[in-house]
Amino acid sequence: MTQSATHAMELDPKYDDYDYPTMSPNTQSGHPGHTTKEQDAQIFQLRSQLEQAGYKERLDTLSMLRFLRARKFNVELAKQMFIDCEKWRKSFGVDELVRSFDYAEKPKVFEYYPQYYHKTDKDGRPVYIEQLGKIDLTAMYKITTAERMLQNLVVEYEKLADPRLPACSRKSGTLLETCCSIMDLKGVGLSKVSSVYSYVKEVSAISQNYYPERLGKLYIVNAPWGFSSIFSIVKGFLDPVTVQKIHVLGSGYKTELLAQVPAENLPKLLGGNCECHGGCALSDLGPWKEPEWTKSPKWELKKAAPSTTIEDQPSETIPTYAPQSGAPSSGGMEEAHAAGDKAQAPMPS
């Protein structure tokens, strides 16, 4: 395999308007600052083909690299993934939604399904936490709707891309493109796993197909008895790179988790020392709330613009993955949930 060389990422002045570091700490081939000449050419090829197809937005180099890595640098597959994503963004109204969505019922929803970003791990990445033990869809639907939960999922992904990750990159002094996710299964017995998995699987399709390469590490804690056995089977179907990101832990998870997330950044209920005023789940604390590191997100500064999707593009149906039962956000765990798809077992990929 051709070796990559560490070098400053070649910026495209037309699209690359970054105000944060662009050198990735991940030195694996294909990551920003660590690409081969062939990969650099594939970035140019993908962007050129998309321009010829009429696309003008989201063609920056970091985005091109994420789609290419998600498709093992197969330009045609990356191109189709990007086109499908743009069609979905238009049909879902993402650009307007991120500017206008108000999830006023969030505190009530979080009584049953807390899902939130909270401070950073030792590498400076946003920490994302989901607690699945209290999920009660019947009660949740008295508070909100399936559509609004799905909209919240999308808005949070947009906010992860900007302003969360740029702020974390500025503070750490290096490019950060992923988050550290914690899935707490306390209270989720094997009898409940199938119902939880069914909707988590549905909403994970959004992250897997439209927000690629956002998972850095995933810790599944308080995993019920038998869960590790399921995962040992499932991981045989996964890319080795994905397997390295996933850590399935039982109730004795604290030592390993605290080795990745500083105690002062981890909520007390997960074994840390943090007790935010009003609760960690609703604080949204992190570099993206610190004036010295955060900046107004670009989507906030933009006026709504017509979609750049060309009408004569292939018109195959692009699924919206709206959950039949109204699944809430799965927050950056796309690769974990995909594993379950491959093994047809209640295991996130």
Side-chain angles (χ1 to χ4, degrees):
M1 180 177 179
T2 305
Q3 294 296 311
S4 63
T6 299
H7 57 85
M9 188 175 74
E10 184 175 342
L11 299 179
D12 185 308
K14 186 176 180 180
Y15 299 108
D16 296 342
D17 181 23
Y18 305 123
D19 53 10
Y20 51 87
T22 56
M23 176 71 74
S24 174
N26 189 334
T27 59
Q28 291 180 315
S29 178
H31 288 265
H34 312 283
T35 51
T36 65
K37 291 182 178 179
E38 181 182 5
Q39 290 167 341
D40 290 339
Q42 289 166 323
I43 295 170
F44 178 81
Q45 183 182 0
L46 175 60
R47 181 186 286 125
S48 297
Q49 290 186 13
L50 290 169
E51 285 180 323
Q52 291 170 11
Y55 294 92
K56 299 177 181 178
E57 294 186 78
R58 290 173 282 277
L59 299 182
D60 63 284
T61 301
L62 294 180
S63 294
M64 295 293 93
L65 272 173
R66 285 194 302 107
F67 279 91
L68 283 166
R69 288 199 305 274
R71 291 296 179 261
K72 306 297 184 185
F73 278 84
N74 181 311
V75 173
E76 284 303 314
L77 293 181
K79 175 185 175 183
Q80 189 59 54
M81 185 184 193
F82 183 92
I83 290 173
D84 290 349
C85 179
E86 288 297 302
K87 289 180 178 180
W88 168 79
R89 290 182 69 92
K90 180 183 179 182
S91 66
F92 203 86
V94 175
D95 291 341
E96 178 56 33
L97 189 67
V98 69
R99 287 189 288 267
S100 61
F101 184 73
D102 178 19
Y103 202 38
E105 66 270 36
K106 180 167 70 172
K108 289 291 185 181
V109 174
F110 276 23
E111 292 179 11
Y112 300 98
Y113 187 15
Q115 38 182 173
Y116 56 98
Y117 290 92
H118 183 264
K119 300 187 176 180
T120 57
D121 70 359
K122 70 173 186 178
D123 298 317
R125 297 174 297 196
V127 173
Y128 176 79
I129 299 169
E130 286 193 8
Q131 297 166 258
L132 289 83
K134 296 182 180 179
I135 289 179
D136 183 337
L137 290 177
T138 301
M140 291 165 69
Y141 288 154
K142 294 177 181 178
I143 301 167
T144 190
T145 65
E147 180 182 20
R148 285 183 60 77
M149 287 190 287
L150 193 61
Q151 289 173 336
N152 179 61
L153 161 73
V154 171
V155 168
E156 289 303 311
Y157 269 122
E158 291 294 305
K159 290 181 178 179
L160 173 64
D162 191 11
R164 290 190 179 105
L165 286 170
C168 290
S169 297
R170 294 184 196 105
K171 186 171 184 176
S172 67
T174 190
L175 175 65
L176 298 173
E177 298 185 282
T178 63
C179 58
C180 175
S181 298
I182 302 170
M183 180 184 284
D184 183 9
L185 298 186
K186 186 176 182 178
V188 181
L190 285 180
S191 61
K192 191 177 180 181
V193 165
S194 59
S195 62
V196 171
Y197 171 71
S198 64
Y199 65 74
V200 170
K201 175 185 174 182
E202 287 181 288
V203 298
S204 71
I206 287 180
S207 56
Q208 180 176 296
N209 294 324
Y210 308 134
Y211 297 96
E213 295 287 301
R214 288 305 191 197
L215 178 65
K217 287 190 176 183
L218 168 60
Y219 293 88
I220 302 175
V221 305
N222 288 313
W225 182 86
F227 198 88
S228 294
S229 298
I230 294 172
F231 180 68
S232 66
I233 297 172
V234 169
K235 70 181 182 181
F237 297 89
L238 294 176
D239 186 300
V241 175
T242 299
V243 173
Q244 292 175 2
K245 298 178 180 180
I246 304 173
H247 306 263
V248 179
L249 309 173
S251 58
Y253 63 85
K254 293 180 183 178
T255 299
E256 186 168 345
L257 186 58
L258 286 169
Q260 182 64 34
V261 183
E264 62 270 22
N265 290 356
L266 188 67
K268 192 170 183 179
L269 60 84
L270 287 171
N273 301 328
C274 190
E275 294 182 275
C276 295
H277 178 71
C280 293
L282 297 173
S283 70
D284 195 28
L285 289 181
W288 50 93
K289 292 293 186 179
E290 299 169 9
E292 63 266 46
W293 307 119
T294 194
K295 295 186 179 182
S296 295
K298 290 183 170 60
W299 51 259
E300 190 176 83
L301 303 174
K302 283 184 178 180
K303 293 182 178 180
S307 170
T308 56
T309 303
I310 302 302
E311 294 301 323
D312 62 359
Q313 288 299 315
S315 58
E316 70 274 12
T317 301
I318 304 300
T320 60
Y321 299 99
Q324 296 175 358
S325 58
S329 161
S330 60
M333 301 184 190
E334 67 275 7
E335 295 170 57
H337 298 320
D341 296 346
K342 296 180 181 179
Q344 294 300 309
M347 170 65 214
S349 70

